Amino acid sequence: GDQVEQSPSALSLHEGTDSALRCNFTTTMRSVQWFRQNSRGSLISLFYLASGTKENGRLKSAFDSKERRYSTLHIRDAQLEDSGTYFCAAASSSFSKLVFGQGTSLSVVP
Amino acid sequence: NAGVIQTPRHKVTGKGQEATLWCEPISGHSAVFWYRQTIVQGLEFLTYFRNQAPIDDSGMPKERFSAQMPNQSHSTLKIQSTQPQDSAVYLCASSLGDSQNTLYFGAGTRLSVL
């Protein structure tokens, strides 16, 4: 079946630094969605993309519009409150299920 | 907008008992998804309804698990004869059901089977 490979599995950042998370797809995907799961377990939607890039504050996400085989999430000027587990999930067609990656556990330290 | 509501938040059952989990989607959303999350397996898709009709149940264990959506305001996931390996956080999500399909998740039900 469709697979979503997320990297890195864990990441530690100092406050104020930048980094990027990546998801690779084993097949062409139609859309991707990024989530952050907080310490209470709630999954919060960050971005939905069917193509191109979207930006919200210090977060920016991109979806490879050409081959549709990967997506990235950039974190700029990391803050302590950015800590959590980040998941990407992708769908192979408009009305199909989302397949999740294994997540990136992000820890932002002073 | 209260978001997706899942009840109960925690459920403890004994091995062999039945567990029913409830989900109320966001008002106006026509698609409801069920996922299960464990440390080992991560987030696994279980099943999905659109306009109350089952669309894809490819992730549902064939025995003991069933899901219904009797009306547009709630869905249930029932597990019969629960086993310790069913212990997980069960997450419900809803979406508008259009081509954009952005999912909004509930807080989950943590099921513990002793």
Side-chain angles (χ1 to χ4, degrees), chain B residues 67-90:
Chain B
Q68 282 87 38
M69 191 163 183
N71 57 59
Q72 63 186 8
S73 63
H74 90 272
S75 174
T76 58
L77 179 68
K78 184 180 291 186
I79 308 171
Q80 294 178 311
S81 185
T82 54
Q83 302 298 309
Q85 62 265 30
D86 299 331
S87 297
V89 176
Y90 289 81

Side-chain angles (χ1 to χ4, degrees), chain B residues 20-36:
Chain B
T20 300
L21 312 181
W22 294 72
C23 172
E24 182 181 328
I26 293 172
S27 177
H29 282 194
S30 63
V32 170
F33 298 77
W34 285 95
Y35 284 81
R36 171 169 70 177

Side-chain angles (χ1 to χ4, degrees), chain A residues 30-31 33 35 37 40-43 45 48 54 87 91 94-102, chain B residues 9 33 35 37 40-43 45 48 50 56 58 91 97-103 105 107:
Chain A
R30 188 194 180 279
S31 65
Q33 195 168 353
F35 299 87
Q37 189 166 42
R40 294 175 60 192
S42 295
L43 272 167
S45 178
Y48 169 93
K54 285 188 178 178
F87 290 95
S94 295
F95 297 101
S96 66
K97 66 193 181 197
L98 283 181
V99 178
F100 278 80
Q102 287 296 312
Chain B
R9 288 298 312 278
F33 298 77
Y35 284 81
Q37 186 174 26
V40 174
Q41 298 294 332
L43 276 151
F45 169 79
Y48 148 43
R50 189 178 333 122
D56 181 352
S58 59
L91 291 159
D98 60 10
S99 60
Q100 193 175 72
N101 218 24
T102 303
L103 259 60
F105 279 85

